[in-house]
Amino acid sequence: QVQLVESGGGLVQTGGSLRLSCAASGRAFSSYAMGWFRQAPGKERAFVAAIDRSGGLTYYADSVKGRFTISRDNAGNMVYLQLNSLKTEDTAVYYCATTPDSWPSSHMYNYDYWGQGTQVTVSS
């Protein structure tokens, strides 16, 4: 049984930073790509960032490029999302997800397991 548990969300002011963490278990973590998605109130879930199995290839949504950084620690079965220069429009529930593929993807249907989400709220 694959389990993903996110943490690190919270309330932060515009321009601030947060670091989200996702602890994975139940799958050979280093064999699979990982992704982060977010869902704002009243909106569909959207791609944020993804990383390949080795951590050498990353992929970002245009809206977060240059502000967010995805990384992973294969020894610790962790994936991270560093959020910098936060804007009010970054407010959402953030989800990590795992795909059975080794390459990162921006498409939700490529991901088969999801965490429960962590809330990020950016106030002005």
Side-chain angles (χ1 to χ4, degrees), residues 7-118:
S7 60
L11 174 64
V12 64
Q13 290 189 327
T14 302
S17 297
L18 284 173
R19 188 193 196 202
L20 307 183
S21 300
C22 175
S25 62
R27 173 176 271 178
F29 182 76
S30 62
S31 297
Y32 303 102
M34 300 290 294
W36 285 95
F37 291 76
R38 67 186 181 185
Q39 188 165 15
K43 295 188 177 180
E44 295 186 349
R45 195 169 297 188
F47 171 72
V48 176
I51 190 166
D52 76 332
R53 61 180 181 176
S54 71
L57 180 64
T58 57
Y59 182 36
Y60 296 94
D62 288 343
S63 59
V64 307
K65 204 172 293 184
R67 299 188 299 121
F68 292 6
T69 303
I70 188 171
S71 61
R72 66 189 296 161
D73 171 10
N74 284 345
N77 287 6
M78 298 289 295
V79 63
Y80 304 100
L81 187 68
Q82 179 68 41
L83 288 62
N84 295 332
S85 303
L86 282 161
K87 306 175 181 180
T88 54
E89 52 263 44
D90 295 318
T91 294
V93 177
Y94 284 71
Y95 300 89
C96 75
T98 180
T99 168
D101 301 326
S102 59
W103 294 99
S105 171
S106 63
H107 299 291
M108 285 181 54
Y109 57 75
N110 283 341
Y111 292 83
D112 55 353
Y113 289 97
W114 295 77
Q116 83 289 348
T118 186

